[in-house]
């Protein structure tokens, strides 16, 4: 079993579920999970608290970083607050301790765009630590998205029904993880998956090889 004691687990909004959060806490770890529309009341509560705080308090705990390169400048400001939670949310998600807002200012030539994402965490207020965790998660997600698009043509998929989209997402990541675990041959990810389509023997190795090796 993976040892996550004292670790910070970063996850997408898909995993902002009571059972998932409880499982992480039961393993003595903390979490940082993005909040989107799939948790409408939680998302509204988080955004409302930040809106109120920004309007009444000039000292919201925050940490900022600025990076320049490739003709653009990007500033990330990470804010974090103790979560003032309603009884309804507290009952459903009792381990939420703080909320996080990451405001990204991106300047390319004379055009500046601002994007804000929101998170919940069981960790105490530490905006610098949260900033590092979010940036690391984004880098992993960006790399993963590139592989999924190149290998599986994910961005070209015409499936839009919610349950089907989620099922395909899980299957793509499962196939990707199986291909990563297969190390007997030096092949690209795309080459491994293509060969598994043509060879029953290699497909069996891809799916069951790591199990037989234990």
């Amino acid at each position: 079993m993976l040892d996550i004691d004292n670790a910070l687990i970063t996850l997408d909004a898909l995993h902002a579920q009571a059972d998932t959060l409880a499982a992480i806490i039961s393993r003595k770890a903390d979490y940082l999970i993005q909040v989107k529309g799939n948790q409408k009341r939680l998302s509204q509560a988080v955004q409302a608290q930040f809106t109120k705080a920004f309007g009444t308090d000039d000292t919201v705990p925050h940490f900022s970083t600025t990076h320049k390169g490739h003709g653009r400048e990007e500033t990330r400001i990470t804010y974090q607050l103790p979560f003032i939670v309603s009884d309804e949310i507290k009952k459903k998600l009792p381990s939420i301790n703080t909320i996080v807002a990451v405001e990204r200012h991106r300047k390319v030539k004379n055009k500046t765009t601002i994007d804000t994402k929101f998170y919940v965490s069981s960790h105490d207020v530490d905006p610098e630590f949260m900033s590092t965790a979010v940036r690391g998660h984004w880098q992993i997600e960006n790399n993963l998205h590139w592989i999924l698009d190149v290998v599986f043509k994910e961005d070209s998929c015409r499936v839009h029904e919610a349950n089907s989209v989620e099922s395909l997402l899980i299957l793509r990541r499962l196939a990707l993880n199986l291909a990563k675990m297969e190390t007997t041959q030096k092949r690209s990810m795309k080459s491994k998956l293509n060969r598994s389509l043509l060879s029953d023997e290699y497909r069996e190795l891809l799916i069951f090889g790591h199990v037989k090796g234990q």
Side-chain angles (χ1 to χ4, degrees):
M1 183 178 290
L2 186 65
D3 183 11
I4 60 172
D5 191 10
N6 292 320
L8 178 71
I9 310 299
T10 61
L11 296 169
D12 290 331
L14 177 67
H15 303 285
Q17 307 294 332
D19 291 345
T20 302
L21 305 192
I24 293 172
I25 295 299
S26 71
R27 298 280 299 281
K28 298 181 180 179
D30 282 305
Y31 58 79
L32 174 67
I33 298 184
Q34 190 173 357
V35 177
K36 291 183 178 179
N38 64 316
Q39 289 278 6
K40 188 175 181 179
R41 291 185 179 179
L42 177 60
S43 178
Q44 290 174 341
V46 171
Q47 293 186 50
Q49 185 175 336
F50 272 114
T51 298
K52 182 178 181 180
F54 291 144
T56 60
D57 188 354
D58 294 330
T59 59
V60 176
H62 66 278
F63 177 79
S64 64
T65 59
T66 299
H67 300 275
K68 298 180 180 180
H70 305 290
R72 64 176 179 265
E73 177 180 323
E74 185 171 283
T75 298
R76 289 189 177 97
I77 309 173
T78 302
Y79 301 92
Q80 190 175 16
L81 291 169
F83 190 27
I84 302 173
V85 61
S86 68
D87 291 339
E88 179 186 0
I89 296 176
K90 185 69 175 177
K91 183 178 179 180
K92 184 179 180 182
L93 303 168
S95 59
I96 297 178
N97 185 32
T98 59
I99 56 176
V100 178
V102 179
E103 192 174 87
R104 183 168 61 173
H105 299 246
R106 189 178 187 187
K107 183 178 181 180
V108 180
K109 295 183 178 180
N110 295 322
K111 183 179 180 181
T112 300
T113 57
I114 300 175
D115 174 61
T116 305
K117 290 183 170 59
F118 298 93
Y119 302 79
V120 294
S121 178
S122 59
H123 200 275
D124 293 333
V125 173
D126 187 344
E128 183 175 356
F129 182 43
M130 293 296 107
S131 175
T132 302
V134 169
R135 184 169 178 80
H137 184 81
W138 281 351
Q139 289 174 337
I140 292 171
E141 281 295 303
N142 287 339
N143 291 337
L144 177 61
H145 179 77
W146 183 85
I147 293 173
L148 288 171
D149 189 36
V150 170
V151 176
F152 293 106
K153 303 296 181 185
E154 188 173 62
D155 286 349
S156 301
C157 181
R158 296 182 179 276
V159 176
H160 300 293
E161 197 276 325
N163 289 334
S164 299
V165 169
E166 184 175 341
S167 297
L168 286 172
L169 187 68
I170 293 171
L171 288 172
R172 291 189 190 106
R173 279 158 174 73
L174 175 61
L176 192 62
N177 286 333
L178 288 172
K180 285 182 178 180
M181 293 171 69
E182 203 294 280
T183 58
T184 62
Q185 299 181 22
K186 292 185 178 180
R187 291 174 174 268
S188 68
M189 202 67 62
K190 189 172 184 178
S191 176
K192 288 179 181 179
L193 294 172
N194 284 341
R195 190 180 177 201
S196 71
L197 294 174
L198 302 173
S199 168
D200 292 339
E201 182 180 352
Y202 188 73
R203 184 165 57 251
E204 181 180 354
L205 174 65
L206 208 66
I207 298 172
F208 301 111
H210 65 287
V211 178
K212 292 180 179 179
Q214 292 180 350

